[in-house]
Amino acid sequence: MTNHWIDLRNSDVILVMGSNPASNHPISMKWIMRAKERGAKLICVDPRFTQTAEVADVYAPIRSGTDIAFLGGMINYLLESDLFLKEYVVNYTDAPFLVNPDFKMPGELDGVFSGYDEDNSSYDKKTWAFQLDEKGVPKKDTNLQDPDCVFQLLKKHYSRYSIDIVSQVTGTPRDKCEEIYKAIGSTYVPNRTATGCYAMGWTQHTVGVQNIRAFTIVQLLLGNMGMAGGGVNAMRGEGNVQGSTDHALLFHILPGYLPAPTASLAGLKDYVLKHTPTTKEPRSVNWWSNRGKYITSYLKALYGDHATRENDFGYSWLPKLDEGMNASWLALFARMYRDQFEGFFAWGMNPACSSVGAGKVREALGKLKWMVNVNLYDNETASFWRGPGMKPGKIKTEVFLLPCCSSVEKEGSISNSGRLAQWRYKAIEPLGQSMPDAEILNELYFRVKKLYQKEGGALPDPILNLTWEYGEKDQEGKVRHLDAHKVAMEINGYYHENVYDKTASSPKLIGKKGDLVPNFVSLRDDGSTSSGNWLYSGSYTLKDGEVVNMMARRGKEDPTGLGLYPNWSWAWPVNRRIIYNRASVDPKGRPWDPERAVIKWNPAAGKSGGWEGDVPDGPAPPLADDKKGALPFIMKPYGVGAIFGSGLKDGPFPEHYEPLESPVPKNPMSEKHRVNPTIPIGKLQAMAKDPAFLFSFDYERYPYVATTYRVSEHWQTGVMTRHLPWQLEMHPQQFIELDRELAGVKGIQGGDLVEVKSARGQLSCVAIVTDRFKPFLIQDRKVHLIGMPWCFGWQYPEDGSGGDSANLLTPFMGDPNTLIPESKAFMVNITRIEKPARVSDQPGSDSLDRGRG
């Protein structure tokens, strides 16, 4: 989230799209309702009439997979109606920048941007560049009239997205589109803000990244980035998803979003040179220019005294990706399916249910030699070998189940969607033989290290040179019990040498060897500092000579009255509660909205002025200061918000493409390109060696759109909640929701058992016939949507009564930028099987249908 949960209360218009906070993020809904009490308008756009829709001021249905068409229409409406904050757009975005005159867009090239290579399904981005002046700075037209400026290109691109076209593509009624566009557009004035709350309903598509980009463009046009009650806010599906991403859960990053090194970058200097952006824009802070400091300090955190200038601080010990290597979720399981892995750690996950193409994933697990499953309970992944359709006698995989303890049985921090890192104490001791995850890792590390010391082996240095000073050690040097506080301090970072301010007339000691660094501003690239994650530097530090765990703070002071609560826990970076908050003021440092001032410039503060309010995005004066003023978007090389996204694989502006599996034969925005032209269909087909692993275009056989979602009563794949009888009682088995008209056509009644089938597999479900889904009219065709949760699996309940995972049906394909899978729009068929004897006991009875609205 650019903002945070409490800040939702400051919004005037809240767009909930791609999420269902009333059901799945109930604490966020508390703050949304506070906003409504202030008079804010809540808008819900969703294929299904959800719990959030029930309390929304405006609900609009939308065909799953058409969000860009809807948001593109919104952009067009704002531009045509002059509903944008011009001073913000001109000064704080790249809208005035001039683009190469050879750049062409999908309206001119039948669905693609200039530079498209059909053979490789990729773009040559030469024409996507900005025009530069003699100083290397982008040329600008601050009047926004030049036909090559980003603003005019944006206007031209989305002029194709009229409300009539949008309604035909999305199925959203025309009047609803206009009502929503008008409400969002009302926040272009400085004293009103809108925010957007999204989750997997936006991300899990073959255009997932561009879905979010589209709303980012809306917020930049309206001047809502950096503002209280504004921003673009991802509603993470679990309390530490943000933290796990920050600490490099994904294959292509190191902690703190440092790029993972590749084999062609032989030395640390090569890495820094390639991955450190430069800029000729004199007003740009270009904060990523500090990347060399962060990667060097990270290496020092890993290897301590073993990391020296002479050995490149241990850079060669880091694992390297091959150039162009894809180690994302889809690619890993495709390769596993082809016998390219021997072993697999399934740590705190259940891919046999959570992964798209779950049937093939289960087959892939059977091709391993061994698998370690770390979890609270046995689950469908640990017991895949005895699941439906499996032949245990032919499976060679040896499975090790390591019981870990729950979050209340261990101490440590979590980082929520609002970037708030909160320290949790241990409530009870771990039950039975279960252990905290960190203790399991501690055991694994020392056993692997001991084997290297005893037997040698390939690449010993990365293991033998690791620092592991996380607690008291036994006679063999093994940490007896891992101390989470020591891990947190290493993440924060230390001084490894005395550091002096050499700019002073007489050098002044600013950092003492062995002390914790105050924050990432102190990190250096000479080996004198360490930090396990630069973003978290400042989270566990020295205050007035005392070591303070900032994440454990519980102060309730709120000096701004905006709900920032600066003394409650700690938010990255440097306890900043709203990112890009320098954009919340005009070029002179005056808040756009004085009544909700996030920060403001006080020219009388200190010797030469200073900021008040939230921790600002850097101490530099506001833009109007001719000598030292800085642009607000400090992480961007040009210092401004990027409307023109030239770094993406599938285009600098979001363009509507149909989902991989779609109910319509043609993309109404392009005759030639029905789906995203850059998704790696061929590559995944080659890795999978099985077309059914991916998708089907047989619309007669699979005529209905399906989507998946969560329910309040179960958590993720249900591993924790299905084992709790009081949770299981509320939702005991897999179900499907379908509209009344489709139910009539198929002869299905509430409580009937039905089979749902896709090209990947089939699934038995109990039918809920409901008004929450309505059929759509798309290009003169009636389109029905059905929906089902993904929280069930065959392993528990033990009698199999819960059914199985909805991901047996989902396609094995993802977004070209991230390869996040497309599980929110795919094609199925449904068939009635039988009617249970006791309809009233089934989810789908009339009483339950009425109660779930």
Side-chain angles (χ1 to χ4, degrees):
M1 299 173 81
T2 59
N3 295 42
H4 55 92
W5 292 120
I6 298 174
D7 185 63
L8 294 173
R9 78 183 194 190
N10 296 318
S11 297
D12 295 296
V13 181
I14 300 169
L15 175 65
V16 172
M17 191 171 173
S19 65
N20 179 17
S23 178
N24 302 324
H25 299 87
I27 297 301
S28 72
M29 203 63 193
K30 166 185 175 180
W31 302 111
I32 290 172
M33 297 307 288
R34 293 277 179 89
K36 279 176 62 67
E37 290 170 7
R38 288 180 42 253
K41 179 170 286 190
L42 174 59
I43 298 168
C44 178
V45 181
D46 198 289
R48 182 173 63 119
F49 189 84
T50 62
Q51 291 91 334
T52 305
E54 175 72 24
V55 296
D57 298 289
V58 182
Y59 166 70
I62 184 172
R63 174 168 65 96
S64 187
T66 62
D67 304 83
I68 287 176
F70 185 89
L71 294 170
M74 184 182 295
I75 294 169
N76 182 48
Y77 183 89
L78 297 177
L79 296 175
E80 290 299 317
S81 306
D82 287 330
L83 299 176
F84 58 93
L85 185 55
K86 186 173 181 179
E87 189 178 3
Y88 185 108
V89 169
V90 169
N91 289 292
Y92 294 167
T93 80
D94 61 5
F97 290 15
L98 304 188
V99 179
N100 186 325
D102 293 330
F103 173 70
K104 304 298 180 186
M105 296 185 292
E108 303 164 274
L109 299 177
D110 197 13
V112 295
F113 296 91
S114 51
Y116 182 64
D117 180 349
E118 193 161 359
D119 292 336
N120 294 304
S121 301
S122 63
Y123 282 104
D124 178 340
K125 301 179 182 179
K126 290 178 182 177
T127 62
W128 300 10
F130 292 130
Q131 300 179 40
L132 305 179
D133 64 17
E134 65 280 359
K135 296 180 180 179
V137 177
K139 295 180 178 179
K140 305 177 184 69
D141 172 23
T142 55
N143 294 318
L144 306 180
Q145 297 302 312
D146 192 298
D148 292 326
C149 77
V150 169
F151 183 84
Q152 288 298 328
L153 292 171
L154 182 77
K155 196 170 185 179
K156 180 179 179 181
H157 178 62
Y158 288 111
S159 65
R160 301 150 58 228
Y161 289 71
S162 67
I163 291 181
D164 287 334
I165 291 293
V166 169
S167 183
Q168 291 173 28
V169 174
T170 63
T172 307
R174 191 187 191 286
D175 61 327
K176 289 292 183 182
C177 289
E178 192 163 8
E179 182 181 6
I180 292 169
Y181 295 169
K182 185 177 181 180
I184 297 291
S186 72
T187 67
Y188 87 100
V189 294
N191 65 344
R192 285 177 61 80
T193 55
T195 192
C197 299
Y198 73 91
M200 296 303 182
W202 264 4
T203 60
Q204 290 183 344
H205 293 277
T206 46
V207 290
V209 170
Q210 296 283 20
N211 280 339
I212 297 141
R213 277 275 303 141
F215 190 68
T216 301
I217 292 171
V218 169
Q219 292 294 72
L220 287 171
L221 290 172
L222 295 170
N224 283 329
M225 296 302 295
M227 299 285 288
V232 179
N233 294 305
M235 310 185 92
R236 302 293 203 170
E238 186 269 334
N240 199 34
V241 169
Q242 184 64 56
S244 65
T245 313
D246 299 339
H247 291 285
L249 178 74
L250 304 176
F251 80 95
H252 66 294
I253 54 173
L254 300 175
Y257 302 93
L258 302 174
T262 51
S264 66
L265 304 176
L268 182 58
K269 288 184 179 179
D270 301 315
Y271 173 94
V272 173
L273 183 64
K274 179 178 175 64
H275 292 301
T276 302
T278 59
T279 183
K280 299 293 181 65
E281 169 53 64
R283 297 301 186 95
S284 172
V285 175
N286 189 26
W287 198 267
W288 275 123
S289 63
N290 295 298
R291 188 164 268 155
K293 301 174 183 178
Y294 303 152
I295 182 64
T296 305
S297 295
Y298 173 66
L299 289 167
K300 287 293 290 185
L302 288 181
Y303 303 120
D305 291 340
H306 294 292
T308 65
R309 190 183 298 274
E310 289 70 31
N311 64 16
D312 230 3
F313 300 108
Y315 173 79
S316 64
W317 301 332
L318 286 177
K320 311 292 191 298
L321 293 169
D322 292 332
E323 290 301 324
M325 180 181 178
N326 188 327
S328 66
W329 183 273
L330 296 180
L332 288 178
F333 280 96
R335 290 182 177 127
M336 189 186 298
Y337 186 68
R338 294 182 63 190
D339 293 296
Q340 293 183 0
F341 291 110
E342 289 192 2
F344 173 55
F345 277 84
W347 205 303
M349 62 171 67
N350 188 18
C353 284
S354 64
S355 176
V356 292
K360 292 295 181 181
V361 166
R362 296 172 187 181
E363 289 184 37
L365 295 174
K367 301 186 179 190
L368 298 165
K369 288 185 178 180
W370 56 266
M371 178 177 66
V372 178
N373 190 45
V374 185
N375 220 304
L376 275 69
Y377 299 96
D378 186 12
N379 59 19
E380 287 77 14
T381 299
S383 289
F384 79 93
W385 51 273
R386 62 184 182 91
M390 305 303 285
K391 298 178 180 178
K394 293 186 177 182
I395 293 174
K396 61 184 180 181
T397 311
E398 185 175 9
V399 179
F400 301 88
L401 179 59
L402 301 182
C404 63
C405 63
S406 69
S407 59
V408 300
E409 299 167 287
K410 57 189 175 185
E411 185 179 21
S413 68
I414 64 164
S415 298
N416 71 7
S417 303
R419 299 165 287 102
L420 195 66
Q422 301 181 89
W423 196 264
R424 289 181 170 181
Y425 62 87
K426 179 170 66 174
I428 60 172
E429 292 299 320
L431 300 178
Q433 296 181 349
S434 66
M435 297 169 63
D437 302 87
E439 295 283 10
I440 296 173
L441 275 171
N442 185 50
E443 292 288 335
L444 284 171
Y445 167 66
F446 275 97
R447 294 184 193 205
V448 171
K449 182 179 180 180
K450 195 171 182 180
L451 284 173
Y452 267 113
Q453 291 170 332
K454 181 180 179 181
E455 302 176 6
L459 302 173
D461 290 342
I463 297 296
L464 298 182
N465 290 327
L466 274 179
T467 58
W468 204 271
E469 304 301 321
Y470 302 137
E472 180 186 349
K473 296 181 178 180
D474 63 18
Q475 293 180 345
E476 294 186 331
K478 174 180 175 292
V479 171
R480 297 178 188 274
H481 293 290
L482 192 140
D483 185 342
H485 291 269
K486 291 186 179 297
V487 176
M489 288 187 229
E490 182 179 86
I491 290 170
N492 176 86
Y494 292 95
Y495 288 107
H496 285 249
E497 300 172 10
N498 288 339
V499 174
Y500 296 88
D501 179 6
K502 296 180 180 179
T503 63
S505 54
S506 59
K508 177 184 178 184
L509 182 68
I510 56 175
K512 182 181 177 182
K513 182 179 179 178
D515 281 356
L516 293 160
V517 297
N519 54 53
F520 57 67
V521 177
S522 302
L523 298 181
R524 301 162 72 95
D525 60 3
D526 59 3
S528 61
T529 59
S530 68
S531 174
N533 187 331
W534 73 274
L535 276 177
Y536 283 75
S537 191
S539 62
Y540 209 126
T541 189
L542 287 174
K543 290 288 183 182
D544 300 322
E546 298 290 328
V547 175
V548 178
N549 181 353
M550 302 288 281
M551 300 173 284
R553 299 181 307 158
R554 293 298 182 264
K556 298 180 182 180
E557 302 83 9
D558 184 22
T560 65
L562 294 175
L564 300 182
Y565 296 102
N567 297 319
W568 180 277
S569 192
W570 182 90
W572 70 255
V574 292
N575 205 33
R576 185 173 300 130
R577 301 300 164 122
I578 295 180
I579 291 178
Y580 295 126
N581 52 31
R582 290 172 65 97
S584 70
V585 298
D586 69 13
K588 294 183 178 180
R590 300 171 301 193
W592 296 111
D593 181 3
E595 297 300 315
R596 287 175 286 189
V598 181
I599 63 171
K600 61 181 177 180
W601 179 254
N602 181 355
K607 294 181 180 180
S608 55
W611 293 100
E612 298 175 350
D614 192 14
V615 178
D617 266 316
L623 186 60
D625 186 304
D626 291 336
K627 295 181 179 179
K628 297 181 180 180
L631 289 159
F633 288 85
I634 65 171
M635 304 307 289
K636 307 297 291 182
Y638 293 123
V640 295
I643 291 173
F644 193 78
S646 59
L648 298 181
K649 292 183 178 181
D650 47 354
F653 294 135
E655 167 75 347
H656 168 73
Y657 298 107
E658 287 292 313
L660 187 65
E661 294 184 343
S662 165
V664 296
K666 292 183 179 180
N667 177 2
M669 306 306 298
S670 165
E671 287 289 322
K672 187 175 181 181
H673 295 279
R674 190 182 66 85
V675 301
N676 189 331
T678 61
I679 54 177
I681 295 175
K683 290 181 181 179
L684 282 175
Q685 277 180 321
M687 284 190 285
K689 286 187 176 178
D690 184 352
F693 207 65
L694 303 173
F695 57 86
S696 171
F697 295 148
D698 189 344
Y699 310 112
E700 297 299 323
R701 190 175 181 186
Y702 306 111
Y704 310 121
V705 180
T707 193
T708 63
Y709 42 79
R710 303 175 189 231
V711 294
S712 302
E713 295 80 3
H714 286 298
W715 180 249
Q716 309 285 47
T717 64
V719 171
M720 290 193 287
T721 50
R722 283 187 274 127
H723 285 266
L724 305 177
W726 49 91
Q727 295 294 123
L728 189 63
E729 181 181 14
M730 289 187 281
H731 267 312
Q733 62 195 120
Q734 181 62 265
F735 62 86
I736 176 178
E737 293 187 81
L738 69 158
D739 68 75
R740 297 190 184 279
E741 182 178 323
L742 178 59
V745 171
K746 304 294 287 188
I748 296 170
Q749 297 182 9
D752 283 355
L753 193 64
V754 300
E755 181 183 74
V756 187
K757 191 171 185 178
S758 76
R760 274 77 51 192
Q762 57 277 336
L763 184 65
S764 295
C765 308
V766 174
I768 297 180
V769 179
T770 179
D771 290 325
R772 287 188 291 272
F773 278 110
K774 300 283 189 182
F776 292 92
L777 189 63
I778 309 293
Q779 299 177 36
D780 299 321
R781 298 170 58 133
K782 186 162 286 187
V783 173
H784 295 276
L785 268 75
I786 62 98
M788 65 192 78
W790 56 278
C791 52
F792 294 99
W794 64 266
Q795 187 270 335
Y796 198 87
E798 292 176 348
D799 61 2
S801 62
D804 211 338
S805 173
N807 278 316
L808 290 169
L809 309 175
T810 49
F812 203 81
M813 182 53 66
D815 176 277
N817 296 285
T818 63
L819 273 188
I820 190 169
E822 182 163 70
S823 62
K824 300 307 179 190
F826 55 97
M827 302 302 293
V828 299
N829 205 343
I830 56 175
T831 308
R832 180 179 179 275
I833 300 175
E834 61 178 284
K835 189 171 183 178
R838 296 170 57 195
V839 176
S840 61
D841 290 341
Q842 304 296 336
S845 63
D846 290 341
S847 59
L848 186 140
D849 184 42
R850 288 195 297 272
R852 294 292 299 162

